[in-house]
Amino acid sequence: MTDITITLEDGPTGGRYVAVVDGHEAEMTFSKAGTSRIIIDHTAVPQALAGKGVGLALVKRGVEDARKNGVKIIPLCPYAKAQIGKHPEWQDVLA
């Protein structure tokens, strides 16, 4: 799946990236660790969206935003950590 719209809900201490695909909501949540780091703590993709690239798209958007904003990522979520580990081109955003 290539056309996944992701929205960012950003608050003072954290937020989440949300993708709604075929009526199902997937999310990746994060906490802010000061002004220069975020902690990705959870990624949830419903079974109906499994294998469609939604989780990867959420992580990719987080990486792109971190890079754009000069923020480093601490990936505590096992899925996000694994995906970032699989992409050498994303290593620059790791804290």
Side-chain angles (χ1 to χ4, degrees), residues 18-76:
V18 180
V20 179
V21 179
D22 298 332
H24 300 280
E25 181 180 282
E27 72 172 358
M28 181 177 74
T29 61
F30 63 91
S31 301
K32 294 180 181 177
T35 58
S36 62
R37 294 181 181 191
I38 64 165
I39 300 166
I40 296 176
D41 48 32
H42 182 67
T43 304
V45 176
Q47 187 62 36
L49 299 180
K52 295 186 177 184
V54 179
L56 178 59
L58 290 166
V59 176
K60 181 179 179 187
R61 171 70 186 275
V63 167
E64 290 169 350
D65 284 358
R67 190 176 286 138
K68 179 176 67 174
N69 297 318
V71 173
K72 296 293 185 180
I73 295 174
I74 301 167
L76 294 186

